[in-house]
Amino acid sequence: MSDQIAAVTKSVEDAIATAKQNLEGLVKAQQEQIEKASAKVLKSYDELTVLTKENVDALVKSGTVVAKGAEEAGKQVAAFTQSSLEKSVSNAKAVLAVKTIQELVELQSTFTKASLDAFVSESTKLQELTVKVANEALAPLNARVNATVEVLSKKPVAA
């Protein structure tokens, strides 16, 4: 009987050892999976941080282009306004010196045509500047949108 008790004891001890070994293996496997998942999350977070920084840098660059363009446009408008004012003063002096109605009509007609031509020309220049600045300002943003879409499209969707 003591042999039977010894055999049962040995079987129970073997079963406990096997269960303990299986449990340790399960715990180790779970730890490895958690470590892998954590590493992936941290890597994704780092990549997202870099991506966000690059996006902010592109936004700052775009804003700088817009600010410089606005400054240039302001200078252009100020120069045109100054020039128009000077031409108006010159025309006013010429109007005071006319001797006939015919001269006044010709002078005013010439002045009006020149003013209108200058306005159209200046408007065209300002429009071209606006388009140029808009394109330059959107270039870094477009590049970042493309880069972001490319990076995010490669990432698997978490379930």
Side-chain angles (χ1 to χ4, degrees), residues 62-80:
S62 179
T64 301
V65 169
V66 169
K68 287 181 181 177
E71 180 182 357
E72 188 176 335
K75 287 179 182 177
Q76 188 174 332
V77 168
F80 175 71

Side-chain angles (χ1 to χ4, degrees), residues 32-107:
E32 289 174 359
Q33 287 179 342
I34 289 171
E35 288 172 4
K36 286 179 183 178
S38 296
K40 285 182 180 179
V41 167
L42 289 175
K43 183 180 178 197
S44 294
Y45 178 75
D46 289 343
E47 290 173 355
L48 185 60
T49 301
V50 169
L51 186 67
T52 301
K53 182 190 177 305
E54 291 171 349
N55 289 347
V56 169
D57 290 345
L59 190 60
V60 169
K61 185 176 181 180
S62 179
T64 301
V65 169
V66 169
K68 287 181 181 177
E71 180 182 357
E72 188 176 335
K75 287 179 182 177
Q76 188 174 332
V77 168
F80 175 71
T81 302
Q82 177 72 29
S83 173
S84 294
L85 195 58
E86 289 170 359
K87 289 176 184 173
S88 293
V89 168
S90 175
N91 188 61
K93 288 179 183 177
V95 165
L96 293 175
V98 296
K99 296 189 175 153
T100 67
I101 295 288
Q102 182 64 31
E103 281 181 72
L104 178 63
V105 169
E106 288 175 11
L107 182 66

Side-chain angles (χ1 to χ4, degrees), residues 133-148:
V133 168
N135 287 336
E136 289 176 4
L138 288 175
L141 298 177
N142 284 337
R144 291 310 313 150
V145 166
N146 292 336
T148 301

Side-chain angles (χ1 to χ4, degrees), residues 104-145:
L104 178 63
V105 169
E106 288 175 11
L107 182 66
Q108 200 57 25
S109 176
T110 302
F111 175 73
T112 302
K113 183 180 181 318
S115 295
L116 185 59
D117 288 346
F119 178 75
V120 169
S121 173
E122 195 63 28
S123 295
T124 301
K125 288 179 190 175
L126 198 55
Q127 182 182 13
E128 289 170 356
L129 175 64
T130 303
V131 169
K132 177 184 168 221
V133 168
N135 287 336
E136 289 176 4
L138 288 175
L141 298 177
N142 284 337
R144 291 310 313 150
V145 166

Side-chain angles (χ1 to χ4, degrees), residues 7-21:
V8 168
T9 303
K10 172 110 170 85
S11 285
V12 169
E13 287 174 352
D14 288 346
I16 291 172
T18 302
K20 183 179 176 183
Q21 197 175 30

